[in-house]
């Protein structure tokens, strides 16, 4: 399995329509990021599925570290694990 490519450090605000299913890029290689364009084929990764139960704007994770994929959970604002802040 290939590690996802980091495309953007911050979330993408994306409007979704009620009753529609969406596939969000998990590999970071999509030319339509944050939407899946099939570029994950052969990476061992699969897109993140999201069903919109109502129309709204959602925040789609762009950093690849959210525990609530495909939604941003605020992890992008914290330093990656294994790194410590100094000073
Ligand atoms: S953009 Fe990934 S957790 Fe916010």
């Amino acid at each position: 399995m290939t590690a996802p490519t980091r495309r953007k450090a911050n979330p993408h605000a994306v409007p979704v329509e009620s009753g529609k299913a969406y596939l969000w890029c998990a590999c970071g290689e999509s030319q339509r990021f944050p939407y899946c364009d099939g570029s994950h084929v052969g990476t061992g990764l699969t897109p993140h599925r999201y069903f919109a139960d109502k129309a709204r704007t959602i925040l789609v994770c762009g950093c690849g570290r959210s525990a609530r994929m495909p939604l941003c959970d605020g992890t992008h604002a914290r330093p990656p694990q294994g790194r410590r802040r100094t000073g």
Side-chain angles (χ1 to χ4, degrees):
M1 182 160 85
T2 305
T5 304
R6 185 175 170 154
R7 293 295 295 256
K8 183 181 172 194
N10 297 313
H12 299 260
V14 181
V16 294
E17 296 177 34
S18 178
K20 285 188 69 174
Y22 295 84
L23 293 176
W24 306 110
C25 177
C27 71
E29 299 297 329
S30 174
Q31 297 301 307
R32 297 177 53 235
F33 198 86
Y35 301 97
C36 173
D37 72 353
S39 295
H40 62 276
V41 174
T43 66
L45 299 172
T46 55
H48 302 288
R49 187 175 177 82
Y50 177 84
F51 180 78
D53 57 355
K54 64 180 181 180
R56 64 178 120 181
T57 297
I58 63 171
L59 293 177
V60 177
C61 175
C63 76
R65 296 189 295 134
S66 174
R68 295 179 49 227
M69 286 293 200
L71 303 177
C72 170
D73 70 354
T75 300
H76 65 272
R78 295 191 287 274
Q81 287 185 340
R83 291 177 59 186
R84 290 186 177 167
R85 288 191 174 177
T86 57

